[in-house]
Amino acid sequence: MSKFVEKSKLRARKQKLLSIESDIKELDDAMKTAESCFNEVSDGDLLDALIYERAALEARYNYLIRELKALEATR
């Protein structure tokens, strides 16, 4: 493999790593916000919505963690 191709792949891998890390940070903030709202809401419909939102955020977070681990395993 040429050095150009290797550098290109390394650059793309690094960019994907940074993107995943940024997404994880954003999800962490969103999960904290949802948790804060959950503790302050008393309306049943809003509680249901927050429960579903939290589940969706956790699913996305778990997906990104798996992607991050897979990316790190290819070093």
Side-chain angles (χ1 to χ4, degrees):
M1 200 178 307
S2 73
K3 282 188 175 188
F4 177 76
V5 171
E6 286 182 32
K7 285 183 180 182
S8 179
K9 284 185 178 184
L10 184 60
R11 194 175 310 121
R13 185 181 170 282
K14 186 175 181 178
Q15 183 62 34
K16 184 169 182 166
L17 182 64
L18 291 173
S19 176
I20 290 172
E21 289 173 344
S22 174
D23 288 349
I24 288 173
K25 169 78 171 97
E26 288 177 24
L27 279 171
D28 188 48
D29 292 342
M31 289 168 71
K32 287 177 185 174
T33 300
E35 185 69 27
S36 176
C37 290
F38 185 80
N39 293 327
E40 296 176 15
V41 171
S42 60
D43 181 71
D45 289 335
L46 290 177
L47 284 173
D48 287 345
L50 287 169
I51 290 168
Y52 287 118
E53 180 181 357
R54 184 175 174 187
L57 291 169
E58 286 177 359
R60 176 82 175 140
Y61 182 84
N62 291 333
Y63 166 78
L64 290 172
I65 293 297
R66 284 193 312 272
E67 287 291 303
L68 184 62
K69 287 180 181 179
L71 192 59
E72 289 176 344
T74 61
R75 285 186 177 186

